[in-house]
Amino acid sequence: MFRPGAQRLRGLQLRSFPLRGSPGRPRSVCAREGEENAPLSAETRWKDRAETVIIGGGCVGVSLAYHLAKAGMKDVVLLEKSELTAGSTWHAAGLTTYFHPGINLKKIHYDSIKLYEKLEEETGQVVGFHQPGSIRIATTPVRVDEFKYQMTRTGWHATEQYIIGPEKIQEMFPLLNMNKILAGLYNPGDGHIDPYSLTMALAAGARKYGALLKYPAPVTSLKPRSDGTWDVETPQGSMRANRIVNAAGFWAREVGQMIGLEHPLIPVQHQYVVTSTIPEVKALKRELPVLRDLEGSYYLRQERDGLLFGPYESQEKMKLQDSWVTSGVPPGFGKELFESDLDRIMEHVEAAMEMVPVLKKADIINIVNGPITYSPDILPMVGPHQGVRNYWVAIGFGYGIIHAGGVGKYLSDWILHGEPPFDLIELDPNRYGKWTTTQYTEAKARESYGFNNIVGYPKEERFAGRPTQRISGLYKTLKSKCSMGFHAGWEQPHWFYKPDQDPGYRPSFRRTNWFEPVGSEYKQVMQKVGVIDLSPFGKFTVKGQDSVRLLDHLFANVIPQVGCTNISHMLTPKGRVYAELTVSHQSPGEFLLITGSGSELHDLRWIEEEAVTGGYNVEIKNMTDVLGVLGVAGPHARKVLQKLTSEDLSDGAFKFLQTKAFKVANIPVTAIRISYTGELGWELYHRREDSAALYDIIMNAGQEEGIDNFGTYAMNALRLEKAFRAWGSEMNCDTNPLEAGLEYFVKLNKPADFIGKQALKQIKAKGLKRRLVCLTLATDDVDPEGNESIWYDGKLAASYVSIGETTLLDSELPFKKQKLRGK
């Protein structure tokens, strides 16, 4: 156990710092370097107009101010309620890492670290940046599998990452107990930074480039104006802003509530422990790499001549500050901490002592227990918010220090250029909606915090807070027959099991219990007929005198004739694929637009923004929660459905990509002859409350044809074999439609000057540097999951692999049949 000094701190209420440094000069909790940065006094100026007002002076908000001002934006104003770094920034442990399991979030980490490396030279402010590298420790075979899985996805990324063995680990971190260690995942360049000094350096840079940082200046009111601008009220006066960015940390909920939004955020208490000098650490000739013991669920790094370690306790033991959700953040709270609770993290302390035995004789000099903000899925919310013009967010940062630099650059580029610099839909604030209740947020935040270091499997499902109010009419009918997946609040069948099959959730890096059942579903649709619940689709109606003109401006494809459907893509100004939708022209000037479940509000925001800024006279409605959808597909689909309707479903009367309204056994439906499986099929749109009855009628009618259910896993396998693209896999904001093989859907010769048209003409004229191809891989146990590196003759040949069998290859590679190995 720790020596008595540790015990003396138990139950001691740790109050606000500065414990070190001059009175009134808040510093990093750890005061890593002991540097004395010159104080940066608050501005006395005031502006009546601003291009961008940023609310919140933590590292994220200040980073955005820095990037916008450096990029040339005039009239950037940051408003902070008390002082810079108040909230979560000042007490953060300051870890920095290139690693992230999300492919594009690695870019955010990369941009942050590259900025931090040069920030001191640029601003003259010491930032206390240490880069000893980091090692993630594997002590179980499945964790080694996880490392191998992550290595398959890192080959085409700019950051270095290696699997290292026990001998190398011990050489780099000689204080470890090596008994259980099997391997390590090593990232050179990782480390830690002083959050206070970082923020002050960013603030110095922001001021250098012309931004105004005003504090104390609490925002008391936000009032939207009809022209899209905002009136921002503070005790110092009001300010007119072209846009506002909520970067208010754990005050972000209260800022959102000023304009009627309930951001799904909740503060979490996170503790870390700092020891006094440890002789064995002091004797080292170089700084230890940051250690992450994933089974012990803690991080550990060198802090001067001692150690700092912070655990992530289980969801049963962790503590939410839920009173702040219901009652608000206490007035005046900013640089305070919670009472420490060593008992809550004791099992992790003991794990750390076993892994790093010198901790057993260390004295604790500090226990920091401070608030950090969690979103339900632990990822921040970054970008413009649907339903409110010119309101942006950069909130929900559980790891704000490593995200701050990259997110500041990302948002700055987006604001200045009108489109995101790369795809980060996983951070889209519009991934949440009205279904995201406080109860759901609390349940998911507990789960996410407790799962910080669990094994990250492909096709992962997390079950806390489910189901939400978003259940289709088939949920009760199907839930005992299938493994459900979570899609934007919806429960949707992934795969179905029979009575003699294992129904459990069995995640793995290898083929697992769903593989054979999905194969059966695949054959079912190919040979007979299957039914799938597609209710999570995003569904919008657009109508009005300018509806055709608006959609012609939004989509690269032509507008379908009345009674017809097509696949259309919304492009960014630079010609990249922002979204893919199915567009059905139901009656003159009235359209039904369909998108994927995860893109619902992402796409709706883009459509609404273009409608408003372009002055189009249209009415746009979100029908996602009103309509249910059943897909019926397979060679016998027509035969089954024809039994239930007087509408002629023959090929001559109801052609591919036609849409008609009729009744199926007296239930009104809008039918589209289309199927993502690539087989004969229809999608039947109907009132959500009719779903169960419609499903039962179709299943009963198809008994003779051997009808059965199928889920999204089988649908994905079927669409891949037809080379049907999927937004988010083969195309997104990182790809243009030409390299994704979507030329058929892009009409560069249509009269309308659709968004991205001119850029796409230039791309076509210059020629492509890469293009999408299909590969077949020989494997009997480990299948590609997405984003794996592809190697050819010992060299990296592809920069991206989507789920299954499609990949974007560099165009200079030969495209004849070759042996390609997934690595």
Side-chain angles (χ1 to χ4, degrees):
M1 290 296 294
F2 286 108
R3 292 164 70 181
Q7 303 305 310
R8 288 197 298 269
L9 280 178
R10 285 192 179 184
L12 177 64
Q13 186 168 359
L14 301 179
R15 299 189 179 276
S16 62
F17 290 76
L19 292 180
R20 303 180 178 87
S22 304
R25 295 268 317 282
R27 296 298 311 278
S28 160
V29 169
C30 302
R32 294 176 187 84
E33 299 301 301
E35 306 96 340
E36 295 295 323
N37 287 337
L40 295 169
S41 59
E43 295 275 3
T44 58
R45 295 180 293 140
W46 185 258
K47 289 187 175 184
D48 295 327
R49 293 297 303 256
E51 179 67 23
T52 299
V53 167
I54 301 162
I55 304 171
C59 60
V60 174
V62 178
S63 173
L64 177 57
Y66 162 86
H67 281 94
L68 284 172
K70 185 176 181 180
M73 179 178 283
K74 306 299 181 184
D75 298 323
V76 177
V77 177
L78 182 145
L79 301 176
E80 162 55 42
K81 72 188 302 289
S82 57
E83 55 184 307
L84 300 184
T85 75
S88 296
T89 298
W90 74 279
H91 63 73
L95 299 183
T96 58
T97 178
Y98 284 117
F99 177 85
H100 196 281
I103 298 303
N104 277 354
L105 267 170
K106 285 179 184 285
K107 297 180 183 179
I108 294 292
H109 289 210
Y110 179 86
D111 288 344
S112 289
I113 290 175
K114 293 307 175 186
L115 170 65
Y116 302 164
E117 287 176 343
K118 65 182 182 181
L119 195 58
E120 184 172 325
E121 179 182 356
E122 179 183 346
T123 66
Q125 296 283 321
V126 175
V127 297
F129 193 21
H130 295 234
Q131 294 183 275
S134 78
I135 305 173
R136 284 169 169 76
I137 296 297
T139 56
T140 66
V142 71
R143 193 67 77 172
V144 176
D145 272 357
E146 181 186 23
F147 289 0
K148 291 178 180 178
Y149 171 66
Q150 287 300 332
M151 286 302 299
T152 69
R153 298 151 59 87
T154 199
W156 51 269
H157 203 272
T159 60
E160 291 183 84
Q161 184 170 290
Y162 309 98
I163 292 181
I164 58 177
E167 290 185 4
K168 185 65 176 178
I169 295 170
Q170 188 167 36
E171 176 189 333
M172 297 174 69
F173 203 120
L175 305 182
L176 285 176
N177 174 2
M178 300 299 297
N179 289 344
K180 297 181 180 179
I181 294 176
L182 301 178
L185 194 65
Y186 172 53
N187 287 94
D190 284 9
H192 53 94
I193 195 167
D194 177 3
Y196 176 83
S197 299
L198 167 64
T199 306
M200 293 305 159
L202 289 168
R207 289 190 178 97
K208 173 183 175 181
Y209 298 117
L212 170 64
L213 277 58
K214 185 69 178 177
Y215 54 92
V219 173
T220 57
S221 174
L222 296 171
K223 297 178 180 178
R225 296 171 57 85
S226 59
D227 62 355
T229 61
W230 291 84
D231 285 335
V232 182
E233 302 285 345
T234 77
Q236 285 81 2
S238 64
M239 183 178 297
R240 181 75 48 81
N242 288 347
R243 74 183 56 78
I244 55 177
V245 182
N246 182 351
F250 51 70
W251 290 280
R253 281 183 62 92
E254 296 175 29
V255 173
Q257 287 167 350
M258 293 181 186
I259 58 173
L261 296 177
E262 291 288 341
H263 294 309
L265 302 170
I266 191 166
V268 172
Q269 292 190 19
H270 177 63
Q271 299 186 93
Y272 63 82
V273 176
V274 185
T275 77
S276 61
T277 295
I278 299 173
E280 292 87 345
V281 175
K282 187 175 182 178
L284 295 170
K285 298 186 184 303
R286 62 185 179 191
E287 184 174 351
L288 292 167
V290 177
L291 187 77
R292 290 176 173 86
D293 179 357
L294 303 176
E295 306 310 322
S297 192
Y298 64 86
Y299 56 83
L300 181 146
R301 67 168 179 79
Q302 188 170 335
E303 172 63 23
R304 295 187 174 181
D305 292 330
L307 294 172
L308 177 155
F309 64 97
Y312 291 97
E313 58 268 39
S314 68
Q315 57 184 306
E316 294 79 18
K317 291 186 176 181
M318 62 85 68
K319 189 170 183 179
L320 299 173
Q321 197 62 26
D322 48 6
S323 63
W324 289 12
V325 176
T326 55
S327 304
V329 181
F333 192 98
K335 290 204 167 179
E336 290 72 35
L337 294 172
F338 302 120
E339 183 176 353
S340 61
D341 184 0
L342 196 59
D343 290 336
R344 198 168 77 225
I345 60 174
M346 205 60 209
E347 66 179 280
H348 305 281
V349 172
E350 290 169 353
M353 289 190 296
E354 181 181 358
M355 183 64 72
V356 186
V358 295
L359 280 173
K360 295 178 181 179
K361 53 186 179 181
D363 288 327
I364 293 177
I365 60 171
N366 209 352
I367 303 176
V368 176
N369 184 14
I372 56 176
T373 307
Y374 264 47
S375 69
D377 63 8
I378 211 173
L379 295 176
M381 301 161 66
V382 176
H385 204 286
Q386 185 271 332
V388 190
R389 291 184 67 192
N390 297 319
Y391 173 77
W392 297 61
V393 296
I395 57 180
F397 289 87
Y399 312 101
I401 305 305
I402 185 54
H403 287 155
V407 164
K409 182 178 187 301
Y410 179 83
L411 268 183
S412 174
D413 289 348
W414 192 347
I415 289 170
L416 290 167
H417 302 299
E419 63 179 279
F422 51 88
D423 182 71
L424 268 182
I425 194 171
E426 60 265 45
L427 303 192
D428 188 354
N430 306 301
R431 68 187 185 271
Y432 301 117
K434 294 179 181 178
W435 55 270
T436 317
T437 63
T438 299
Q439 293 75 22
Y440 173 83
T441 301
E442 291 179 357
K444 296 304 287 188
R446 281 190 177 279
E447 178 185 59
S448 294
Y449 186 90
F451 283 6
N452 249 287
N453 291 304
I454 67 165
V455 175
Y457 291 103
K459 295 183 173 65
E460 182 186 57
E461 288 292 324
R462 297 187 176 186
F463 299 97
R466 295 170 55 181
T468 72
Q469 66 192 41
R470 271 191 151 180
I471 55 174
S472 81
L474 297 184
Y475 176 72
K476 292 182 180 179
T477 303
L478 300 180
K479 67 178 182 178
S480 63
K481 303 176 182 179
C482 68
S483 177
M484 290 281 186
F486 190 72
H487 299 267
W490 295 90
E491 300 290 331
Q492 185 176 26
H494 276 173
W495 60 278
F496 289 82
Y497 41 78
K498 302 301 181 185
D500 60 338
Q501 293 174 332
D502 179 6
Y505 172 62
R506 306 279 185 264
S508 176
F509 297 102
R510 292 172 167 79
R511 291 179 180 173
T512 184
N513 61 330
W514 57 260
F515 186 81
E516 294 300 331
V518 170
S520 298
E521 294 172 31
Y522 167 95
K523 292 177 182 177
Q524 173 73 32
V525 177
M526 291 283 288
Q527 299 171 3
K528 298 178 182 179
V529 58
V531 177
I532 185 171
D533 184 7
L534 299 172
S535 296
F537 278 168
K539 320 167 196 78
F540 322 126
T541 58
V542 180
K543 63 180 179 180
Q545 67 181 43
D546 292 337
S547 59
V548 172
R549 196 163 61 90
L550 169 64
L551 299 186
D552 215 15
H553 172 66
L554 282 169
F555 291 115
N557 206 344
V558 296
I559 302 303
Q561 296 179 353
V562 175
C564 294
T565 296
N566 69 15
I567 308 300
S568 295
H569 299 85
M570 296 193 296
L571 308 183
T572 71
K574 292 183 180 179
R576 297 178 297 179
V577 185
Y578 188 82
E580 179 184 74
L581 295 91
T582 301
V583 179
S584 297
H585 202 161
Q586 296 181 296
S587 62
E590 185 167 347
F591 296 85
L592 176 64
L593 275 54
I594 308 299
T595 188
S597 57
S599 303
E600 176 196 348
L601 299 182
H602 170 271
D603 295 359
L604 182 60
R605 186 205 66 81
W606 186 271
I607 295 168
E608 290 175 336
E609 179 70 18
E610 288 299 323
V612 172
T613 56
Y616 294 95
N617 185 1
V618 294
E619 178 185 337
I620 302 169
K621 287 186 178 181
N622 187 353
M623 304 296 289
T624 302
D625 291 340
V626 176
L627 298 177
V629 190
L630 286 181
V632 183
H636 299 321
R638 178 183 288 115
K639 186 176 180 182
V640 171
L641 290 177
Q642 192 65 80
K643 299 176 185 180
L644 302 171
T645 181
S646 59
E647 186 75 28
D648 187 354
L649 302 182
S650 66
D651 192 56
F654 202 148
K655 294 182 171 59
F656 180 56
L657 293 180
Q658 280 191 333
T659 177
K660 296 183 180 183
F662 54 88
K663 289 185 177 181
V664 173
N666 290 321
I667 296 176
V669 302
T670 294
I672 304 174
R673 189 179 155 190
I674 192 173
S675 176
Y676 203 29
T677 65
E679 301 300 315
L680 173 67
W682 280 263
E683 291 175 357
L684 305 177
Y685 294 79
H686 54 275
R687 294 178 304 178
R688 186 171 162 188
E689 56 267 32
D690 289 337
S691 291
L694 182 62
Y695 171 83
D696 288 342
I697 290 167
I698 293 172
M699 294 300 285
N700 287 332
Q703 291 304 303
E704 183 179 345
E705 290 75 20
I707 197 168
D708 208 345
N709 298 292
F710 71 104
T712 57
Y713 284 3
M715 182 172 68
N716 192 55
L718 288 159
R719 69 97 185 166
L720 276 168
E721 292 200 351
K722 312 302 191 301
F724 288 179
R725 278 62 166 159
W727 195 91
S729 294
E730 291 80 20
M731 54 176 158
N732 57 19
C733 289
D734 297 329
T735 52
N736 68 63
L738 303 181
E739 63 191 6
L742 299 171
E743 296 94 332
Y744 177 81
F745 305 102
V746 176
K747 310 302 182 185
L748 288 173
N749 60 348
K750 81 172 188 175
D753 188 22
F754 61 85
I755 300 171
K757 182 177 183 178
Q758 300 309 316
L760 209 54
K761 284 183 175 181
Q762 294 178 14
I763 291 170
K764 186 173 183 180
K766 291 179 181 178
L768 300 178
K769 295 182 179 180
R770 59 179 189 166
R771 63 186 177 96
L772 190 74
V773 299
C774 290
L775 304 178
T776 300
L777 302 182
T779 177
D780 57 5
D781 188 32
V782 180
D783 296 302
E785 291 289 346
N787 299 302
E788 287 90 346
S789 306
I790 300 296
W791 298 76
Y792 173 69
D793 283 352
K795 295 181 180 180
L796 190 67
S799 59
Y800 176 75
V801 178
S802 80
I803 298 171
E805 301 169 339
T806 52
T807 181
L808 282 166
L809 289 179
D810 293 337
S811 59
E812 62 267 20
L813 287 169
F815 283 107
K816 59 186 179 181
K817 288 185 178 179
Q818 301 167 28
K819 291 182 179 179
L820 293 177
R821 59 187 178 92
K823 194 174 181 183

